[in-house]
Amino acid sequence: MNESGLDGRLSGPLGGRTAGALERVFGHRSIGDLLAHYPRRYAHHGELTQLGGLPVGENVALVADVVRASVRPMNKRKGTIFEAVISDGRGILTLTFFNQTWRKEELVPGARGVFSGKISSYRGSMQLTHPDYKLFEKSGMSDDDARVWATTPIPIYAATSSIQTWTIEKSIAVVLDYLTTFGVYDPVPAAIRESEGLLEYATALERIHRPRNDDDWKHARRTLRFHEAFVLQAALIESRAQAREQMAMARVAEPGGPLDRFDAQLPFSLTGDQTAVGEAITADLVQRNPMNRLVQGEVGSGKTLVALRAMLTVAQDGGQTALLAPTEVLAAQHMRSIVAALGPDLAADMAPVLLTGRMPAADRKRALLRIVGGQAKIVVGTHALLSDVVEFYDLGLIVIDEQHRFGVDQRDTLRRKSAAHPHTLVLTATPIPRTVAMTVFGDLDVSTITELPVGRKGIETFVVPLAVKPTWMPRVWARMREEIDLGRQAFVVCPAIDSDRDGEPGDESVSEADGDAGRPIATVFDTASSLRAEPSLHGLTIEILHGRMTTDEKDDIMLRFAAGDIDVLVTTTVIEVGVDVPNASTMIVLDADRFGVSQLHQLRGRVGRGSVPGLCLLVTNAAPETTSLERVEAVASTTDGFELAQRDLELRREGDVLGGAQSGGRSSLRLLRVATDGDVIMRAREAAEALHADDPGFTRHPALREAIDRRLDETEREAMSKS
């Protein structure tokens, strides 16, 4: 079989019923999909899985012995209850069956097997109600067979109540046997495979699913991890090469043009990093192939200024820029900042316009006419820019702010609004570890800004650990009052808008803290109400801001806050990025353990942006020695966003780091972990780059070519399923 066999429908070897169930539950359509459903762990017939600490409410699969079994009548109605107690020698678990006394013939003391179901708690004891199980059989074995049986690893798959781990195991066995008739070609060339000490692809698939011993699956995992990294990097390298082959219009900043006029009126000097990144962008823009550059930088490092200088370069000969922002608050903030930075004369020439989904119809129509007519050289907007009714006169540059809020499909939608391939500049204030940059943004050139503008006073961050210091909360509000009495302003951030626990769209902030699922979390409405009633805050102007407000309401609040008319703004993460009020000195985050490391760093970056020092208080009820508290303490320990990004990568789940929106399907990593597999990713990229240099398009490596195409098909399929 060639690589295309992995594209075959599962209904071929498995039949329509089983194939349909696998697609419905897991989304598996092809043979390759199912074979990439790797075991989550391995158990042994002679080595029991620990029962202690099983999570209530989750589906589990475990290996254990039946200790005792009994049948008793129900108390309040007719029928019987059969109970079997299983143990691993350290913990016990009860299996409960209603009106199924025949199970006593199978679940006898001494029986051993795999038991699967949803963990529940009854009268303080852990139990599985009507679990599925598969008992092991040893009868008739020779001593040698028994030894092999006892040491053979048992693959345990991620399963559900409708498809058990042994059903997946059986289906994969059928598929593996089916493939042996044809053979599986390896996307990794033999020379690379040999230098890395890898198994052949077909052997690795066999041994990860049907290992004879632990060494088998460990070697297979190492092989398939490199395989995954190699195919991904080859796809990214090819994507980058193809993008560079597109034709774009060269944009040159002529002497005396908009860029020179802007630079001449700047009241400060650019930082060294701003200058270096600006020069890289200028060099990109003069080429006839499109720029595809990611600029990452610390909060407040001046990325928007770098982007504005690129916009003015493009505007030299009438070109337009579309700046795509994730929220209306941020889009409006960008618009105000750009107009202020340009000054009256340049603003008149650039005629920037704002386009959002909630604009009044008349304003929206005027904006659309100025865009299609070419008068507006700078267009700032939200997802409304992606609408079919938006047409540009000459779209030369796309600037995407906070790339993690958008998908690659949205980037491509904007690109299609230009006759020529526009240049693209992606901005992120969330520093990205190198392994993530290579995995998610491997098709982009990456520039970094670490220097902060001169004059920034910095930010002090402190944890308020209410679990151990419950009396500290009054001091938090007293400290905020002290800052306000100095003529400054404060943000108070809550993880939810109201008691329905609504956060902002795409927000991380409503995730549960460790062991704290039942405690109410701080909400905007309740917090604002309590602060207005707080005697120590008497006389202060306290307002709220959240994503369910209308555009006009949000704009009015932000303008009043920026003007100093509001002392305390109680808000959600709608102010996480881009909001720039230099007089705001204090950031108080309530239930800080409900936020991710990078998100807390972003929120902290809203203060200390002017000539006054910033103060950030992270209030948490997280218990000591929990991951939730560890996240908060990590943020307080440093203001280095790049150090925090690496720490975030180590603390968070992989899916959170590689969200599907930002990666356009590249998040579907099976074995590869960017937090720990940096060396694998680096080696895979180097090998893929060398191969691509020798064989552009990988035409001499058909197995790799088909593996890349399959990955692109997966990307499109995932994008369609999320649209």
Side-chain angles (χ1 to χ4, degrees), residues 473-485 530-542 567-568:
M473 202 61 214
R475 177 56 186 153
V476 170
W477 304 129
R479 185 69 184 87
M480 182 178 75
R481 180 70 196 237
E482 291 169 5
E483 286 292 311
I484 294 171
D485 287 345
S530 64
L531 292 183
R532 288 167 180 152
E534 172 65 37
S536 66
L537 303 180
H538 180 71
L540 299 185
T541 302
I542 300 170
D567 298 306
V568 180

Side-chain angles (χ1 to χ4, degrees), residues 44-46 63-65 105-108 110-115 133-152 154:
H44 292 84
H45 296 90
V63 177
D65 282 329
E105 305 299 329
E106 293 182 344
L107 297 174
V108 297
R112 176 173 292 175
V114 182
F115 301 89
Y133 58 87
K134 179 183 179 183
L135 299 179
F136 305 143
E137 296 180 6
K138 291 191 295 182
S139 59
M141 286 187 183
S142 67
D143 289 345
D144 288 341
D145 288 340
R147 278 193 291 271
V148 171
W149 177 87
T151 58
T152 299
I154 307 164

Side-chain angles (χ1 to χ4, degrees), residues 262 265 308 312 337-348 350-352 378:
F262 177 75
Q265 69 183 30
L308 181 55
L312 295 171
S337 299
I338 287 172
V339 170
L342 289 174
D345 292 341
L346 267 176
M350 297 298 104
I378 298 175

Side-chain angles (χ1 to χ4, degrees), residues 240-476:
R240 182 175 178 176
Q242 289 175 344
R244 289 178 171 177
E245 292 174 359
Q246 301 291 329
M247 291 300 295
M249 182 177 292
R251 308 285 179 169
V252 182
E254 299 292 346
L259 180 59
D260 275 0
R261 291 166 57 196
F262 177 75
D263 286 346
Q265 69 183 30
L266 276 178
F268 52 83
S269 299
L270 300 177
T271 66
D273 282 354
Q274 286 176 321
T275 300
V277 174
E279 289 173 351
I281 292 172
T282 298
D284 287 343
L285 292 175
V286 300
Q287 304 299 318
R288 291 198 173 276
N289 53 286
M291 171 179 69
N292 286 286
R293 184 170 294 276
L294 168 71
V295 175
Q296 60 172 339
E298 283 285 11
V299 174
S301 61
K303 297 178 298 299
T304 305
L305 178 63
V306 169
L308 181 55
R309 296 182 74 249
M311 298 177 199
L312 295 171
T313 299
V314 170
Q316 172 77 44
D317 54 3
Q320 296 170 289
T321 294
L323 193 166
L324 181 61
T327 67
E328 292 183 346
V329 169
L330 182 52
Q333 172 75 48
H334 275 313
M335 185 67 176
R336 289 191 291 269
S337 299
I338 287 172
V339 170
L342 289 174
D345 292 341
L346 267 176
D349 291 345
M350 297 298 104
V353 299
L354 179 67
L355 186 69
T356 68
R358 299 185 187 181
M359 290 175 65
D363 292 345
R364 181 179 176 82
K365 184 176 180 179
R366 281 193 294 270
L368 290 172
L369 288 173
R370 293 171 67 188
I371 296 170
V372 73
Q375 293 92 344
K377 301 298 187 296
I378 298 175
V379 182
V380 182
T382 58
H383 290 76
L385 292 178
L386 306 176
S387 171
D388 291 340
V389 300
V390 180
E391 296 182 18
F392 289 84
Y393 178 76
D394 179 16
L395 180 58
L397 173 65
I398 296 168
V399 178
I400 300 180
D401 196 16
E402 292 309 314
Q403 165 68 19
H404 67 283
R405 301 290 188 92
F406 298 101
V408 291
D409 290 342
Q410 291 161 319
R411 207 194 307 170
D412 291 339
T413 297
L414 268 180
R415 282 173 174 165
R416 288 192 290 271
K417 293 181 179 291
S418 175
H421 207 83
H423 301 281
T424 302
L425 187 62
V426 174
L427 309 178
T428 179
T430 304
I432 303 169
R434 188 179 184 190
T435 52
V436 178
M438 286 191 300
T439 306
V440 181
F441 301 112
D443 53 346
L444 303 176
D445 296 310
V446 179
S447 295
T448 301
I449 301 177
T450 58
E451 293 179 88
L452 296 179
V454 176
R456 294 287 171 89
K457 297 298 184 181
I459 307 171
E460 286 189 305
T461 306
F462 301 96
V463 177
V464 181
L466 296 182
V468 294
K469 301 289 185 180
T471 62
W472 279 17
M473 202 61 214
R475 177 56 186 153
V476 170

Side-chain angles (χ1 to χ4, degrees), residues 59-273:
N59 285 293
V60 299
L62 48 94
V63 177
D65 282 329
V66 177
V67 176
R68 60 182 181 271
S70 62
V71 179
R72 61 181 173 84
M74 294 187 193
N75 290 329
K76 297 183 179 180
R77 54 194 175 101
K78 292 182 178 181
T80 59
I81 299 175
F82 172 70
E83 292 180 332
V85 176
I86 62 173
S87 175
D88 62 354
R90 293 176 290 269
I92 62 172
L93 186 69
T94 301
L95 312 180
T96 303
F97 300 89
F98 296 97
N99 296 317
Q100 295 186 10
T101 56
W102 56 268
R103 296 201 184 265
K104 67 182 181 181
E105 305 299 329
E106 293 182 344
L107 297 174
V108 297
R112 176 173 292 175
V114 182
F115 301 89
S116 176
K118 181 178 287 188
I119 294 290
S120 61
S121 178
Y122 179 68
R123 293 182 177 178
S125 298
M126 307 293 279
Q127 70 172 9
L128 294 176
T129 302
H130 283 265
D132 287 300
Y133 58 87
K134 179 183 179 183
L135 299 179
F136 305 143
E137 296 180 6
K138 291 191 295 182
S139 59
M141 286 187 183
S142 67
D143 289 345
D144 288 341
D145 288 340
R147 278 193 291 271
V148 171
W149 177 87
T151 58
T152 299
I154 307 164
I156 304 295
Y157 294 90
T160 69
S161 58
S162 59
I163 299 184
Q164 302 299 332
T165 177
W166 48 84
T167 302
I168 299 169
E169 180 185 5
K170 181 178 179 181
S171 297
I172 287 175
V174 171
V175 167
L176 286 172
D177 290 341
Y178 175 80
L179 289 181
T180 57
T181 306
F182 308 96
V184 178
Y185 292 150
D186 198 327
V188 181
I192 297 174
R193 193 166 63 241
E194 183 176 345
S195 67
E196 290 288 330
L198 306 178
L199 299 170
E200 291 188 357
Y201 186 30
T203 303
L205 288 174
E206 174 71 26
R207 292 186 183 178
I208 199 166
H209 291 297
R210 296 195 289 204
R212 299 161 300 181
N213 50 54
D214 288 339
D215 287 341
D216 272 1
W217 66 258
K218 289 177 181 178
H219 197 178
R221 271 184 178 267
R222 187 166 67 82
T223 295
L224 293 170
R225 187 176 292 118
F226 184 90
H227 174 281
E228 187 172 8
F230 180 74
V231 173
L232 171 58
Q233 293 302 324
L236 290 170
I237 289 164
E238 181 178 63
S239 175
R240 182 175 178 176
Q242 289 175 344
R244 289 178 171 177
E245 292 174 359
Q246 301 291 329
M247 291 300 295
M249 182 177 292
R251 308 285 179 169
V252 182
E254 299 292 346
L259 180 59
D260 275 0
R261 291 166 57 196
F262 177 75
D263 286 346
Q265 69 183 30
L266 276 178
F268 52 83
S269 299
L270 300 177
T271 66
D273 282 354

